Amino acid sequence: QKEVEQNSGPLSVPEGAIASLNCTYSDRGSQSFFWYRQYSGKSPELIMFIYSNGDKEDGRFTAQLNKASQYVSLLIRDSQPSDSATYLCAVRNAGGTSYGKLTFGQGTILTVHP
Amino acid sequence: GAGVSQSPRYKVAKRGQDVALRCDPISGHVSLFWYQQALGQGPEFLTYFQNEAQLDKSGLPSDRFFAERPEGSVSTLKIQRTQQEDSAVYLCASSPSALSSTDTQYFGPGTRLTVL
């Protein structure tokens, strides 16, 4: 089992719809959770981070964390074609010898079609 | 520039050649990470520096991979005797402090290495 798993996708949604991206993780010591967006040929850019159980909203984006279920998700409301990219879920455990390194999922490709 | 920079952006090497990849982190950032991203996969951790100290090299795939950050700023990832399986994008990321679960890691544009 991979440490961080994302739904394989690709995920295709119409413009204006809600895109739902999911991620599960295996390390219960994980402390913080990140969603990165990566356009083709570009480096990952941070969209949101979340540390506490519950929802966190930032504009059209909502991150949801459930530590008991070891599950984190990203909702994108009013999806736009410019949201088409690969979305990477990353998990961090800053304790011990982890030194804050990020463990990434394989990414979900999102396509928003007009 | 204010961001993380990497050079070269693209590198083609013949199998068996040595390569050196450079990372300039954001000025003043204590932590520096190297990741390897294969095509269609998420980045995978290679190594971590806190200032000039390499505290974690558990992700380096073999002893052909070597990284340094001698003055606590610029870092170099060196790959000796490159193999085809080394073909990937090598990403560098920096963050302001050490051992913090709340710090954001800022990624550079990456170096795409192709080994023929």
Side-chain angles (χ1 to χ4, degrees):
Chain A
Q1 181 190 7
K2 287 189 174 182
E3 290 187 52
V4 180
E5 295 203 48
Q6 298 182 240
N7 51 340
S8 55
L11 176 65
S12 180
V13 301
E15 185 174 357
I18 295 175
S20 177
L21 304 163
N22 305 311
C23 175
T24 58
Y25 59 94
S26 60
D27 183 358
R28 284 195 173 274
S30 299
Q31 299 169 329
S32 47
F33 307 85
F34 302 80
W35 283 100
Y36 283 83
R37 176 176 62 199
Q38 187 173 31
Y39 293 112
S40 181
K42 302 294 185 184
S43 60
E45 57 175 322
L46 182 68
I47 299 175
M48 290 193 70
F49 57 86
I50 186 167
Y51 310 128
S52 304
N53 276 326
D55 294 359
K56 180 181 178 183
E57 187 174 318
D58 184 0
R60 295 187 296 111
F61 300 95
T62 299
Q64 300 173 317
L65 174 61
N66 183 327
K67 290 187 177 181
S69 300
Q70 295 174 246
Y71 174 90
V72 59
S73 66
L74 179 70
L75 300 177
I76 306 174
R77 290 182 299 281
D78 187 24
S79 296
Q80 302 297 309
S82 59
D83 295 327
S84 298
T86 297
Y87 288 80
L88 296 164
C89 171
V91 169
R92 172 190 280 165
N93 181 345
T97 58
S98 295
Y99 298 113
K101 68 185 179 189
L102 294 172
T103 301
F104 286 86
Q106 74 271 32
T108 299
I109 298 172
L110 172 66
T111 300
V112 180
H113 52 86
Chain B
V4 179
S5 61
Q6 293 185 245
S7 61
R9 292 292 313 280
Y10 303 91
K11 177 69 179 178
V12 178
K14 291 184 179 178
R15 188 162 57 97
Q17 281 185 330
D18 298 348
V19 298
L21 312 179
R22 176 187 169 106
C23 172
D24 280 87
I26 294 172
S27 178
H29 277 197
V30 169
S31 293
L32 186 147
F33 299 82
W34 283 98
Y35 294 88
Q36 179 191 59
Q37 186 172 23
L39 189 63
Q41 301 296 314
E44 292 195 0
F45 170 79
L46 293 176
T47 189
Y48 165 69
F49 289 87
Q50 183 182 121
N51 296 308
E52 70 279 3
Q54 187 176 21
L55 298 185
D56 187 351
K57 51 183 180 179
S58 62
L60 296 176
S62 76
D63 58 7
R64 297 186 295 104
F65 287 71
F66 171 77
E68 60 183 4
R69 193 186 185 197
E71 297 178 358
S73 55
V74 171
S75 177
T76 304
L77 176 66
K78 297 179 180 178
I79 309 173
Q80 297 176 325
R81 305 181 304 281
T82 52
Q83 304 295 313
Q84 285 187 324
E85 61 262 28
D86 300 334
S87 296
V89 175
Y90 290 85
L91 294 165
C92 175
S94 70
S95 63
S97 59
L99 305 180
S100 169
S101 65
T102 61
D103 268 2
T104 296
Q105 289 186 20
Y106 298 89
F107 283 83
T111 295
R112 182 178 296 277
L113 172 65
T114 303
V115 181
L116 303 177

